[in-house]
Amino acid sequence: MFELVYWCGINNDQGEFITEIVEIDKMRYINFGIDKFLKFTNESGQVNIIPIENINRSKELD
């Protein structure tokens, strides 16, 4: 599980930073810098795909 902080919005003027506890596939996380998008599942089971550039911070939880 990871704590992920990312920008959710349209362009740069409408939106907000969201902090969620998410599950990220290990191979996706290893290729974090190579991929252009990150696919993750949040605690409510919703699958999201966001551009890597929208990620502010990610931290692996123990």
Side-chain angles (χ1 to χ4, degrees):
M1 298 298 272
F2 292 83
E3 180 182 74
L4 185 66
V5 179
Y6 63 95
W7 178 257
C8 180
I10 301 169
N11 298 324
N12 284 327
D13 52 338
Q14 296 176 352
E16 63 185 351
F17 280 103
I18 296 176
T19 302
E20 288 188 299
I21 304 300
V22 303
E23 186 174 327
I24 302 172
D25 178 87
K26 283 289 185 185
M27 284 307 293
R28 288 256 185 210
Y29 194 71
I30 290 170
N31 293 326
F32 190 75
I34 298 170
D35 293 338
K36 296 193 183 299
F37 295 91
L38 179 67
K39 180 179 179 181
F40 61 89
T41 305
N42 64 19
E43 289 183 301
S44 62
Q46 180 181 11
V47 176
N48 294 298
I49 299 174
I50 61 168
I52 293 292
E53 64 193 27
N54 285 15
I55 296 172
N56 180 269
R57 181 175 29 128
S58 66
K59 176 183 172 186
E60 189 165 13
L61 303 174
D62 294 329

